[in-house]
Amino acid sequence: MKSLAHNAVIFALAGALTLGLAGCGQAMPSASQDGSQGQAAASGDASTTSIDVTTLGAPVATYEGAKYIVSDATVDQAAASDEQVDLGLQEVCVVRPPAAWGSEGTLGWGRNSICYTRVPTEWGSYACNYAYRNESGVAQGAQTPVRASEEGYFENMGEVQHITIGEHDVSYVVDKGNESAKAIPDLEAQASEADADAAAGDRSVTVYAFEQRADKCAFTSSVICSVDAGATFDLTGEQLVTQLYEPLEFVPYDQAQTLDAASYMADMTIADAADEHKVVVALKGGDLLAYSAHQIALADPTKERSAKHPVSYDFAPTDEPAEDAESYEVEGYAVSASMVEQNWGTGVCAPLDRVLTAWVDLDGSPLRIEAIMAQGEDMDAALERLVGGGRLTLQ
């Protein structure tokens, strides 16, 4: 069984991805919030009704498939008032990742932003991030637009250059030393620093791009290039920004439309190590923390509104069940499961969690589940939550 230290890293990484997305200036509503957000003030007017990403698009996501983010509700717009009647531009950005992006990276994905990491190239790898910044619809005087204008976004970041890509007028800044990244609390900045620490001797080039999509609404993107030591890298900022836009399609929102792309609230498909089997993991109202080709990290809802149950599903595990694992059967699935108590800190007040590790046999392929059990939850109840109730569907 994996060490508890590794367990802690998994849950910490998932939390870091969530914080990184929230740090981009977007709200990340839970499943219970998203569908009803702004509905009280709707009156049938699309401009005052936030986009319902639970019904728009494909119900099941695949790692390599098209995904979308939306432009509205990127600030706190859940409470309707006479002063708050406009959610600003309502638009969908569809990302269609090319096959060359591979399947080795991890996605950070929320309502208004998405980040792809570890995209392989002949000179190293890169991470790219796409995000909407919408500061429309807040009460008068409640917030001064900061990041939804070119001047605010690029403040003190260096020389701003401009490029036209089709119908898009894009401004950008090239940062060869990542100095700007260190000052911006965004997911791409965190990924840049992590990559720099892990690849000593390599060099990195970061490009930040900005496009004004409407009044108080902008679309921002970035690419962080991690260049291997000794590799030849001669791409210009203009070329990198052009490449950033190649997978994108911008679609005006229509309540009657359907998309072939999925949102971060869709159920997620992961593949086994041999890519021979796939299983769909239902979110069941949980929050997506991280998504890769073989693994998904979630935060399951709890009865206590302030708490979440971290859980990860790994369909390509490299270890085996513990010797003391007990056998269970959950809705026809053979399951081996064990539980250990883990103190995550020091001192008498340090939190104590029960960490469950379960192995599910899916047509000969092992699915490894690691989760924090809820307070008062026994093994049978935990396995029913994690395995039963339509949680897993083998394709």
Side-chain angles (χ1 to χ4, degrees):
M1 186 177 73
K2 293 184 179 179
S3 68
L4 291 176
H6 183 72
N7 297 343
V9 169
I10 290 176
F11 296 130
L13 173 60
L17 283 165
T18 304
L19 293 173
L21 287 166
C24 292
Q26 293 92 16
M28 291 184 64
S30 67
S32 60
Q33 295 171 318
D34 185 80
S36 60
Q37 187 174 6
Q39 298 294 332
S43 302
D45 186 350
S47 66
T48 58
T49 306
S50 63
I51 299 172
D52 185 357
V53 299
T54 62
T55 58
L56 176 67
V60 177
T62 59
Y63 178 80
E64 67 280 359
K67 301 167 180 64
Y68 71 86
I69 58 177
V70 297
S71 63
D72 71 347
T74 64
V75 293
D76 185 8
Q77 300 163 346
S81 72
D82 293 338
E83 295 179 293
Q84 184 178 315
V85 294
D86 182 14
L87 296 178
L89 176 70
Q90 290 193 304
E91 179 178 76
V92 178
C93 176
V94 179
V95 183
R96 302 185 187 280
W101 283 14
S103 60
E104 297 303 316
T106 298
L107 287 176
W109 189 12
R111 177 185 176 87
N112 312 114
S113 62
I114 188 168
C115 177
Y116 290 82
T117 68
R118 298 197 302 276
V119 178
T121 69
E122 67 276 6
W123 42 259
S125 65
Y126 65 88
C128 58
N129 182 77
Y130 303 103
Y132 277 105
R133 305 180 188 278
N134 183 352
E135 293 170 349
S136 301
V138 294
Q140 185 67 29
Q143 180 177 356
T144 301
V146 175
R147 301 296 294 282
S149 67
E150 180 179 315
E151 296 78 9
Y153 182 72
F154 288 126
E155 184 177 7
N156 300 321
M157 288 182 64
E159 180 184 0
V160 179
Q161 304 181 64
H162 296 83
I163 181 177
T164 299
I165 306 173
E167 299 178 351
H168 303 275
D169 295 323
V170 184
S171 51
Y172 65 94
V173 167
V174 179
D175 183 0
K176 296 183 179 180
N178 281 325
E179 293 303 318
S180 298
K182 296 176 183 178
I184 299 179
D186 286 355
L187 182 60
E188 63 265 28
Q190 296 177 24
S192 173
E193 292 175 353
D195 287 347
D197 291 339
D202 298 354
R203 59 192 175 97
S204 59
V205 175
T206 303
V207 177
Y208 295 96
F210 176 95
E211 180 186 356
Q212 196 77 57
R213 297 298 296 168
D215 181 40
K216 295 185 180 181
C217 183
F219 182 81
T220 64
S221 54
S222 68
V223 57
I224 302 171
C225 304
S226 179
V227 184
D228 293 341
T232 299
F233 178 86
D234 53 8
L235 294 174
T236 66
E238 181 174 324
Q239 289 173 319
L240 289 170
V241 175
T242 300
Q243 290 181 11
L244 271 174
Y245 270 72
E246 287 177 354
L248 305 183
E249 177 187 0
F250 293 86
V251 184
Y253 173 62
D254 183 339
Q255 288 180 319
Q257 75 188 127
T258 57
L259 297 174
D260 62 350
S263 82
Y264 76 106
M265 297 188 73
D267 295 337
M268 303 287 163
T269 304
I270 54 177
D272 66 358
D275 285 326
E276 294 177 350
H277 298 101
K278 292 186 177 181
V279 63
V280 177
V281 180
L283 263 63
K284 293 285 187 178
D287 295 330
L288 175 65
L289 299 179
Y291 184 31
S292 62
H294 306 291
Q295 189 171 15
I296 179 174
L298 308 172
D300 271 0
T302 68
K303 295 180 180 178
E304 302 81 16
R305 294 178 62 86
S306 61
K308 294 286 185 180
H309 298 307
V311 54
S312 69
Y313 293 85
D314 184 356
F315 208 13
T318 57
D319 56 341
E320 298 179 352
E323 293 183 359
D324 61 349
E326 298 183 4
S327 297
Y328 298 84
E329 182 175 332
V330 182
E331 296 187 0
Y333 293 118
V335 181
S336 298
S338 59
M339 184 272 293
V340 295
E341 292 186 341
Q342 171 64 50
N343 190 316
W344 300 108
T346 59
V348 294
C349 296
L352 181 67
D353 284 321
R354 294 174 302 150
V355 180
L356 179 151
T357 304
W359 297 78
V360 185
D361 182 0
L362 296 179
D363 199 17
S365 294
L367 174 70
R368 185 183 192 276
I369 305 174
E370 188 173 41
I372 302 265
M373 298 176 66
Q375 184 176 4
E377 187 177 45
D378 61 23
M379 183 69 79
D380 290 334
L383 291 177
E384 177 61 28
R385 169 171 64 88
L386 299 169
V387 179
R391 194 68 190 258
L392 305 177
T393 304
L394 185 66
Q395 293 185 320

